[in-house]
Amino acid sequence: MRLDVEAAKADIEQSIDLLRRRLDWEPALRKLDELNARVEDPTLWDRPDEAQAVSRERSRLAASVEAVQGLERDLADALGYAEMADEEADEAALEEARGQLKAIKDRAARAELEALLSGEADANDAFVEINSGAGGTESCDWAGMLLRMYTRWANAHGMSVEILEETDGDQAGIKSATLQVTGPNAYGWLKTEGGVHRLVRISPFDAAAKRHTSFASVWVYPVVDDTIVIDINPADVRTDTYRASGSGGQHVNKTDSAVRLTHIPTGIAVACQAGRSQHQNREEAWKMLRARLYEAELQRREAAAQALEDQKTDIGWGHQIRSYVLQPYQMVKDLRTDVETSDTDGVLDGDLDAFMGAALAQRVGATRDA
């Protein structure tokens, strides 16, 4: 068999072996059998909360096992096809086999990254807050571009996005927005995006067509379910209501339905205006506040992550995690991992996997040889 095919085979087999070890393969299979038996027990559904937790655990483990088994099946099929093509000296078929092996290798690489998502809340949905920073109208427009970028990333990965709060900029873009991203491992992936994002471009708002630098911050925290108890003293929380702004129809602009909660001891504030009533927004805001406080606790316990206060920096020079340069050249570069690309349009359309993967591997201190 050709050397390039053998090399691809070796790489994929190494990935599969690593995935098996990280999954603790044999115990994982036994655990999956146990979970399957529990899900099939009709009495389990007499306890809805427990049933949902068991079902979620089973689905996640089954997906991990199937990912490995699928790679093994597809590798065997591709190698068989390549061997047949080699024996028949069919270059077209051999090239097709190479393409199959590359696709399997890419899947294996992503599965390796998925295996790193083993943090306490990595599998959860995520809240994403975007705030414009230094730069006025420019930064509001940049914040709006980031909102679009993360929405497109989520949609490309089969996740749904709901905007919970949005405050329009005075002339363009947004001053702030909070969205909920719902999908497998949403928080695990998006947590790598927290920080300040810097844009350099020719301003569309400057008649002199000068180059401008804009900043916006991204803050990510997990959606917590009812199985995670976060005790908050109501006396420590200030509640403000106000008239909602931004898109939302006639009702949202006529009543003081928007709710902002501020946790006084920590200064953490959340806001929601997506619901039609103050009651709905208050309930959602409390969920967001519990999630923010839970994420703060995760930050304190996660040795590989930055300390919480280190992430709450000024939205401006010296604090950015990634630079997006559109003029005088085109380049997006992550300042933590040095990953870069000249495909700025692709990145702004949501092609963020390379940046997320590198940041995730660095964050957990994992490498291929770990």
Side-chain angles (χ1 to χ4, degrees), residues 60 116-124 187-188 191 222-225 227-230 294 297-299 301-302:
R60 290 167 187 165
L116 300 178
L117 299 175
S118 56
E120 186 173 331
D122 282 350
N124 291 32
Y187 174 68
K191 70 182 181 183
V223 176
V224 296
D225 56 31
T227 63
I228 300 173
V229 179
I230 307 296
Y294 175 62
E297 177 60 24
L298 288 180
Q299 288 284 356
R301 292 184 303 182
E302 186 179 329

Side-chain angles (χ1 to χ4, degrees), residues 101-123:
L101 288 168
K102 182 182 183 305
I104 297 168
K105 185 177 177 180
D106 291 343
R107 277 172 47 208
R110 182 169 179 84
E112 282 191 51
L113 290 173
E114 292 275 5
L116 300 178
L117 299 175
S118 56
E120 186 173 331
D122 282 350

Side-chain angles (χ1 to χ4, degrees), residues 11-286:
D11 285 343
I12 296 169
E13 287 178 339
Q14 185 177 357
S15 291
I16 290 173
D17 180 64
L18 182 63
L19 288 168
R20 279 173 164 266
R21 286 189 282 116
R22 284 186 177 150
L23 198 55
D24 201 4
W25 187 251
E26 295 302 328
L29 293 180
R30 291 195 293 270
K31 179 66 172 178
L32 182 57
D33 287 340
E34 294 173 5
L35 292 170
N36 284 333
R38 291 187 66 187
V39 169
E40 292 170 3
D41 179 3
T43 65
L44 173 66
W45 299 95
D46 295 335
R47 305 178 299 281
D49 291 344
E50 181 183 349
Q52 290 177 8
V54 171
S55 182
R56 284 196 299 268
E57 184 181 4
R58 178 206 167 277
S59 296
R60 290 167 187 165
L61 184 55
S64 298
V65 169
E66 173 55 31
V68 175
Q69 293 174 334
L71 289 169
E72 291 174 330
R73 288 193 304 269
D74 292 347
L75 175 61
D77 290 344
L79 290 175
Y81 188 57
E83 185 174 359
M84 180 181 67
D86 195 32
E87 290 174 353
E88 298 177 359
D90 187 340
E91 282 299 325
L94 190 58
E95 187 62 29
E96 184 180 349
R98 291 191 186 102
Q100 292 174 358
L101 288 168
K102 182 182 183 305
I104 297 168
K105 185 177 177 180
D106 291 343
R107 277 172 47 208
R110 182 169 179 84
E112 282 191 51
L113 290 173
E114 292 275 5
L116 300 178
L117 299 175
S118 56
E120 186 173 331
D122 282 350
N124 291 32
D125 301 332
F127 292 120
V128 180
E129 288 186 13
I130 301 171
N131 290 281
S132 62
T137 298
E138 284 287 338
S139 289
C140 287
D141 190 52
W142 173 221
M145 293 167 66
L146 289 175
L147 174 61
R148 174 182 177 272
M149 182 179 78
Y150 289 120
T151 299
R152 292 206 165 193
W153 174 85
N155 291 337
H157 289 81
M159 302 183 190
S160 63
V161 176
E162 179 185 4
I163 296 179
L164 302 178
E165 181 274 334
E166 182 177 3
T167 302
D168 292 337
D170 293 334
Q171 297 182 46
I174 59 171
K175 292 181 179 178
S176 66
T178 302
L179 52 150
Q180 181 173 335
V181 180
T182 302
N185 295 317
Y187 174 68
W189 287 111
L190 285 164
K191 70 182 181 183
T192 63
E193 292 297 293
V196 175
H197 297 245
R198 169 179 173 255
L199 174 70
V200 180
R201 65 172 176 175
I202 299 296
S203 171
F205 308 102
D206 187 337
K210 293 182 179 179
R211 193 162 66 244
H212 283 245
T213 299
S214 309
F215 299 92
S217 69
V218 176
W219 183 254
V220 183
Y221 48 104
V223 176
V224 296
D225 56 31
D226 293 337
T227 63
I228 300 173
V229 179
I230 307 296
D231 291 323
I232 305 175
N233 183 351
D236 289 338
V237 179
R238 184 178 73 247
T239 301
D240 298 302
T241 59
Y242 57 98
R243 184 162 298 181
S245 63
S247 57
Q250 295 179 348
H251 177 81
V252 78
N253 292 315
K254 287 184 176 180
T255 65
D256 292 338
S257 59
V259 174
R260 179 183 295 108
L261 300 179
T262 303
H263 187 245
I264 298 170
T266 62
I268 290 175
V270 298
C272 183
Q273 65 179 39
R276 288 181 57 83
S277 71
Q278 188 182 115
H279 174 75
Q280 290 175 326
N281 288 328
R282 188 187 302 270
E283 183 177 1
E284 188 64 36
W286 272 99

